[in-house]
């Protein structure tokens, strides 16, 4: 089949297909999903919001559990907890050389 014959075939098919026309009394501007569509959309949005909140809560809980586990392991092993430095806010003993440190003779 040549390009000219293919183009003629396509034109014939398109010309033979009638264009759809709206039924009488049907106004295309008044078609809306209605109350049911609104309720379904609202329900899907509410479920998505609740799932996002639950996911955030679970991730936060997992992170806190990991931090506590690391602190307990550090305490058991006698080393500083991760995320703290000697003399930092988590350390209760004063760092040598600070005004609160005991002076050695």
């Amino acid at each position: 089949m040549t390009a000219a014959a293919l183009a003629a075939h396509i034109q014939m098919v398109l010309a033979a297909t009638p264009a759809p026309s709206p039924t009488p009394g049907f106004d295309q501007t008044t078609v809306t999903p209605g109350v049911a569509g609104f309720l379904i959309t609202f329900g899907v949005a509410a479920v998505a919001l609740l799932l996002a909140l639950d996911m955030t809560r679970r991730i936060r809980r997992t992170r806190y559990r990991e931090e506590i586990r690391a602190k307990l392991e550090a305490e058991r092993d006698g080393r500083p907890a991760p995320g703290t430095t000697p003399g930092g806010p988590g350390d209760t003993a004063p760092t040598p050389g600070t005004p609160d440190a005991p002076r050695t003779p």
Side-chain angles (χ1 to χ4, degrees), residues 40-88:
I40 290 172
T41 304
F42 183 80
V44 168
V47 167
L49 177 67
L50 291 174
L51 283 173
L53 291 174
D54 183 58
M55 179 187 65
T56 303
R57 182 178 55 95
R58 289 174 187 266
I59 290 172
R60 186 179 303 131
R61 186 184 325 152
T62 302
R63 188 178 66 231
Y64 289 155
R65 284 182 181 168
E66 177 61 27
E67 287 175 5
I68 290 171
R69 187 190 61 77
K71 285 181 182 179
L72 290 174
E73 285 181 3
E75 183 179 305
R76 185 188 67 211
D77 295 342
R79 55 186 162 86
T84 61
T85 57

Side-chain angles (χ1 to χ4, degrees), residues 8-19:
H9 179 69
I10 290 174
Q11 285 178 349
M12 182 182 71
V13 169
L14 291 177
T17 306

